[in-house]
Amino acid sequence: GESVGLHLPTLSVQEGDNSIINCAYSNSASDYFIWYKQESGKGPQFIIDIRSNMDKRQGQRVTVLLNKTVKHLSLQIAATQPGDSAVYFCAENRGSQGNLIFGKGTKLSVKP
Amino acid sequence: EPEVTQTPSHQVTQMGQEVILRCVPISNHLYFYWYRQILGQKVEFLVSFYNNEISEKSEIFDDQFSVERPDGSNFTLKIRSTKLEDSAMYFCASGTEYSNQPQHFGDGTRLSIL
């Protein structure tokens, strides 16, 4: 079906290591993608976005990579910190539609 | 930094009762959304709202649901006759553009139907 999904439901990393969270999408009409972080008891918090005319976008300690050939999106977090522990969702925006389609989420746990 | 605020943080209601969830979007935003998240599941789109009318709605948003912007700051979601399966976190979001711009979310209202 057409959906945004995630390869791994959980990811555990050592503090200071880099984290990579992956996401697959199936609709080639999607042209805008967002990564959100959700901490316990809170709403999704915007991290970084990317449009389909780009392959890579960098923020502070985060990088999003978009591979349109295989319909794959990834979020890289450099020097992962305990405060990065949360559930991470990718979301896609399909063309002229306003609604976001969310993936299932990956829970990132950072070990001290 | 401006944020979306939602009240109440937790609402407990008897099945069959009406409930209104309230949101104050970011002040210069024009596009408003409601999403829900059943415990442990992904966030699901309910409805989008612009210029005082619904722009899009999902299959979840049936006749029991309605939205309203009663004044210049509030955006509400009403569930007319709640069912047990309406128990979920309900998130309000707002944005400056209809698409291709991030939507900013509130911290949600946890709705528990008894």
Side-chain angles (χ1 to χ4, degrees):
Chain A
E2 295 182 340
S3 64
V4 178
L6 291 160
H7 296 306
L8 295 173
T10 60
L11 177 65
S12 184
V13 300
Q14 204 71 38
E15 180 179 358
D17 287 352
N18 297 333
S19 304
I20 299 176
I21 301 171
N22 295 304
C23 179
Y25 67 96
S26 57
N27 191 333
S28 55
S30 294
D31 56 6
Y32 178 64
F33 305 89
I34 308 176
W35 281 101
Y36 285 96
K37 172 186 180 183
Q38 187 177 30
E39 296 173 291
S40 181
K42 300 211 157 197
Q45 177 189 358
F46 170 78
I47 302 173
I48 193 167
D49 59 358
I50 188 167
R51 288 179 174 73
S52 59
N53 61 351
M54 302 171 69
D55 298 322
K56 178 179 178 179
R57 191 157 189 233
Q58 287 185 289
Q60 188 177 13
R61 280 202 307 119
V62 294
T63 300
V64 55
L65 298 178
L66 176 63
N67 185 331
K68 295 180 286 295
T69 302
V70 295
K71 298 188 182 70
H72 184 266
L73 192 69
S74 69
L75 176 70
Q76 300 177 1
I77 304 173
T80 314
Q81 301 168 0
D84 295 327
S85 295
V87 177
Y88 289 81
F89 292 93
C90 62
E92 65 179 308
N93 194 198
R94 297 180 179 177
S96 61
Q97 294 180 323
N99 58 299
L100 293 175
I101 308 296
F102 279 79
K104 289 184 180 178
T106 292
K107 182 176 181 180
L108 175 66
S109 298
V110 181
K111 296 178 286 187
Chain B
E1 186 174 323
E3 57 182 25
V4 176
T5 56
Q6 292 185 242
T7 55
S9 57
H10 189 194
Q11 175 77 46
V12 182
T13 301
Q14 291 287 332
M15 186 173 60
Q17 295 297 305
E18 175 183 287
V19 66
I20 297 176
L21 309 182
R22 302 182 191 279
C23 169
V24 179
I26 294 172
S27 61
N28 64 335
H29 287 185
L30 300 176
Y31 299 88
F32 313 114
Y33 310 85
W34 283 101
Y35 293 81
R36 80 170 186 192
Q37 184 179 32
I38 294 171
L39 184 63
Q41 298 188 25
K42 62 183 179 181
V43 178
E44 301 174 288
F45 168 74
L46 293 178
V47 65
S48 61
F49 190 86
Y50 169 71
N51 200 25
N52 282 320
E53 60 182 27
I54 291 174
S55 308
E56 292 175 84
K57 58 183 180 179
S58 71
E59 292 178 353
I60 303 168
F61 194 88
D62 62 21
D63 292 344
Q64 294 300 312
F65 290 86
S66 62
V67 290
E68 192 178 30
R69 187 154 164 83
D71 53 43
S73 60
N74 291 284
F75 179 50
T76 62
L77 174 69
K78 181 194 290 186
I79 308 175
R80 223 179 322 275
S81 177
T82 50
K83 303 185 284 285
L84 292 176
E85 54 265 38
D86 293 328
S87 295
M89 285 291 292
Y90 286 81
F91 293 106
C92 174
S94 68
T96 56
E97 299 289 335
Y98 190 54
S99 61
N100 295 329
Q101 286 290 330
Q103 295 173 20
H104 297 273
F105 285 75
D107 283 338
T109 292
R110 183 154 66 102
L111 179 62
S112 300
I113 307 300
L114 304 178

